[in-house]
Amino acid sequence: MFRLDGKVALITGASYGIGFAIAKGFAEAGAKVVFNDIKQELVDKGLEAYKEAGIDAKGYVCDVTDEVAVNAMVAKIEAEVGVIDILVNNAGIIKRIPMHEMTASEFRQVIDVDLNAPFIVSKAVIPSMLKKGAGKIINICSMMSELGRETVSAYAAAKGGLKMLTRNICSEYGEFNIQCNGIGPGYIATPQTAPLRETQPDGSKHPFDSFICAKTPAGRWLNPEELVGPAVFLASEASNAVNGHILYVDGGILAYIGKQPK
Ligand code: NAP
Ligand code: GCO
C-alpha cells in the first residue's frame, strides 16, 4: 500500500533541496516524476541530477505564481505524461527581514510563492483528479505554520495560511476521494537554510545553528531524505483515510521546550 506504481507525481520547485529528495523517493516507490523550476538552467540541473540517480524525470520551466503558465504546464504534462495523481506544492521562498523594515512588495512576493502558488497549482490539477475520482495533494508547510520568530513575518503568514488552505481543500474535495495533507518539516539542511548554518569568521558555529540544535531533541539539523517516508505515506493509498492533517517531521521540536543551557 506504500507503492506509487502507475502514478504521475508533480513536485514543484524540485531541481534540488527538499523537492528533489521527495521526488527521488517517489520514483523509488514507482511513480513517474515530473517537476518544474523557475529557470531553464535549474530544470536542466535537476534533470542531470535525476539522471545521475537513475530517474527518468520530466522537467518543465514554470513560475508557479503565474496562473497562465501553470495552467499551460499542467495541460502539457497531461498531454505528454498523463493526469497528475499526486501534487506536492514544494516551491517556496523566504525573506528574513525585520517586519518594520520589510516592504509591502517583499511581503507580497513571499505570500505569492508560498501561499498563492499552492492555490494556483492545486486549482489547476483538481479538475482532472475529480474526473479520475482520486487525487493526493501534499503542501509543504513549516514550523512557521505553528510558530513565529523574528524576521519571518511574511513566511509565517504564508505557511500559516497554507495550513488552512490544506484543511480547506480537504473539506471541499474529501467527498471526491481527494486527500490534501501537509508536511511540516523542522529545520532541514538545504540551500534555503544555509545562511543559518554558516561557520562564523572565528570558526565557531552560527548562533542560529546552536539555537536550533538546542530546540531539536535529536540535537541536530534534519536531512531532506528524512522527509521521504512521510511524503511517500501521504502520497500512497496507505493514507486514504488521512485528510487535512499536517504531519510535522520536525524531530520533536514542537514537543520540546529546548535544552537548558549548561
Ligand atoms: P530551496 O532549497 O530554496 O528550494 C526551493 C525551490 O523552489 C528552488 O528550486 C526554487 O528555485 C524553487 N522556486 C522558488 N520560487 C519558485 C517559483 N516562483 N516557481 C517555481 N519554483 C520556484 O528550499 P527548500 O529548503 O528545499 O524548501 C522547499 C520547501 O520546503 C519550501 O516550501 C520551504 O518553505 C519548505 N520548508 C523548508 C524547510 C527547511 O528547513 N529547509 C523547513 C520547512 C519547510 P530557485 O532556485 O530558482 O529559487
Ligand atoms: C527560518 C527557517 C525556517 C525553515 C522552516 C522551519 O528562517 O526560520 O528558514 O523557516 O525554513 O520553515 O520549518
Side-chain angles (χ1 to χ4, degrees):
M1 62 169 64
F2 293 94
R3 294 292 304 171
L4 304 179
D5 300 284
K7 303 292 185 190
V8 174
L10 168 61
I11 303 91
T12 64
S15 295
Y16 56 86
I18 287 172
F20 179 83
I22 289 176
K24 185 167 175 285
F26 281 6
E28 286 159 3
K32 172 67 183 169
V33 163
V34 179
F35 74 102
N36 81 294
D37 223 307
I38 199 165
K39 297 182 269 260
Q40 186 61 56
E41 58 267 32
L42 269 177
V43 169
D44 294 343
K45 174 185 153 193
L47 286 170
E48 270 308 304
Y50 285 109
K51 195 174 166 195
E52 266 170 47
I55 297 166
D56 176 23
K58 289 273 287 180
Y60 294 82
V61 179
C62 179
D63 175 348
V64 290
T65 65
D66 178 341
E67 187 169 21
V68 172
V70 166
N71 291 339
M73 173 182 70
V74 169
K76 203 161 190 290
I77 293 168
E78 292 186 350
E80 295 176 355
V81 185
V83 166
I84 295 162
D85 301 289
I86 302 159
L87 167 64
V88 180
N89 284 307
N90 167 77
I93 62 171
I94 191 167
K95 290 184 186 295
R96 301 183 183 95
I97 304 166
M99 190 174 127
H100 66 285
E101 294 171 12
M102 181 182 273
T103 65
S105 164
E106 288 165 328
F107 188 92
R108 285 195 196 96
Q109 283 170 47
V110 176
I111 298 291
D112 218 13
V113 181
D114 296 3
L115 180 57
N116 293 345
F119 159 76
I120 288 168
V121 186
S122 300
K123 181 175 166 241
V125 304
I126 282 172
S128 294
M129 289 181 172
L130 289 171
K131 285 196 194 91
K132 196 161 191 177
K136 295 281 188 181
I137 298 174
I138 301 169
N139 293 321
I140 306 299
C141 296
S142 162
M143 293 288 94
M144 275 64 221
S145 297
E146 299 294 341
L147 303 169
R149 83 172 186 83
E150 300 79 5
T151 76
V152 295
S153 58
Y155 185 83
K159 294 297 188 179
L162 186 56
K163 173 174 73 172
M164 283 315 302
L165 178 63
T166 301
R167 290 180 176 159
N168 216 74
I169 293 171
C170 149
S171 307
E172 197 160 358
Y173 296 101
E175 71 176 285
F176 306 107
N177 191 31
I178 293 172
Q179 290 86 44
C180 181
N181 293 288
I183 287 178
Y187 278 79
I188 316 291
T190 71
Q192 191 245 48
T193 55
L196 305 174
R197 289 177 281 108
E198 278 165 359
T199 304
Q200 302 300 284
D202 65 1
S204 63
K205 283 176 81 169
H206 191 296
F208 196 90
D209 186 342
S210 308
F211 168 69
I212 282 305
C213 290
K215 292 291 279 183
T216 308
R220 64 176 176 84
W221 288 74
L222 303 181
N223 299 306
E225 292 68 29
E226 294 179 285
L227 299 171
V228 171
V232 168
F233 166 63
L234 290 177
S236 72
E237 64 180 31
S239 61
N240 281 359
V242 178
N243 211 351
H245 183 73
I246 312 298
L247 179 53
Y248 286 99
V249 187
D250 64 354
I253 292 175
L254 288 178
Y256 186 40
I257 196 168
K259 191 174 292 302
Q260 60 182 2
K262 284 193 172 52

